[in-house]
Amino acid sequence: MEREKLYMLAIMPPPAVRREIEEVRNAFAHTYGCKAAMKHQVHVTLYPPFKTATADEAEIEKALLQGLATLEHFVKNVKRFDSFIRNEVIFLKVELSEPLKELHKEISNILAGRLQPAPRKDQPYHPHITIGYRDIPRERFTEALKDYLPRKYEAHFVVEQVYLWRHNGKSWDTIATMPLKAPGGSERQSTSLER
């Protein structure tokens, strides 16, 4: 049997927003002595990491390209800092809008028939951009919560494409970029950060 590889589907903010969030993550890492979040590009996970044989890669990519081509660009809002207390994660909360729900559902449906075992459909989806996790010193997590949760942050950007990533053992490589359908009208992106 062919060895399986690890894959993931994500969206990424445009470069200006990514740079701003990277600055936030850098400051967090410096203050709290944790660097795990810095290992990955700034992104919003659309579908969590899954394993499949590389032989299935082309079929999955083709199905995703066809399925996602019918969905339109949409504006994504990032609002405020939040946390997963149980897992000791601090993140920027991404608004779960109807277009994002539709995109997540479409991807889940496409993958459900192609992955073994089939993914669970009852898993709640909490879109976010990780700021700190995994290696935050336990004794400093409460301090980080008090510091970051009151802070204000807001950004919005247009989601135009979805990225299919494959893990190379150290980081994620983009193996496909799947465009969404361009709607009529103008598109804008903006950010704002307050401390």
Side-chain angles (χ1 to χ4, degrees), residues 12-36:
M12 289 198 300
V17 180
R18 286 201 309 267
R19 281 192 298 273
E20 185 177 80
I21 295 172
E22 282 168 3
E23 287 176 15
V24 172
R25 292 200 310 189
N26 274 326
F28 187 94
H30 177 75
T31 301
Y32 294 101
C34 55
K35 303 204 181 322

Side-chain angles (χ1 to χ4, degrees), residues 7-138:
Y7 296 85
M8 185 172 82
L9 285 141
I11 55 177
M12 289 198 300
V17 180
R18 286 201 309 267
R19 281 192 298 273
E20 185 177 80
I21 295 172
E22 282 168 3
E23 287 176 15
V24 172
R25 292 200 310 189
N26 274 326
F28 187 94
H30 177 75
T31 301
Y32 294 101
C34 55
K35 303 204 181 322
M38 304 299 295
K39 293 180 182 177
H40 308 293
Q41 300 179 68
V42 171
H43 70 280
V44 179
T45 300
L46 283 170
Y47 195 87
F50 61 93
K51 286 187 176 181
T52 192
T54 51
D56 298 331
E57 193 177 289
E59 180 191 339
I60 288 171
E61 181 182 336
K62 182 179 176 184
L64 288 165
L65 277 166
Q66 290 174 343
L68 301 185
T70 63
L71 302 179
E72 289 189 350
H73 293 184
F74 59 94
V75 174
K76 191 84 262 46
N77 297 308
V78 182
K79 293 192 172 187
R80 75 183 175 81
F81 291 90
D82 206 340
S83 67
F84 297 132
I85 299 287
R86 191 177 67 182
N87 298 329
E88 298 185 339
V89 177
I90 293 178
F91 58 86
L92 285 167
K93 186 172 183 148
V94 176
E95 180 184 54
L96 185 54
S97 60
E98 284 305 315
L100 183 56
K101 285 181 190 175
E102 186 179 352
L103 178 58
H104 178 259
K105 182 179 176 184
E106 181 67 22
I107 288 170
S108 298
N109 288 339
I110 290 166
L111 293 178
R114 290 170 174 80
L115 300 181
Q116 297 300 325
R120 288 177 50 192
K121 290 198 171 190
D122 61 344
Q123 292 280 71
Y125 179 48
H126 299 287
H128 63 279
I129 299 172
T130 303
I131 300 301
Y133 79 125
R134 195 177 294 165
D135 63 346
I136 301 172
R138 178 158 290 189

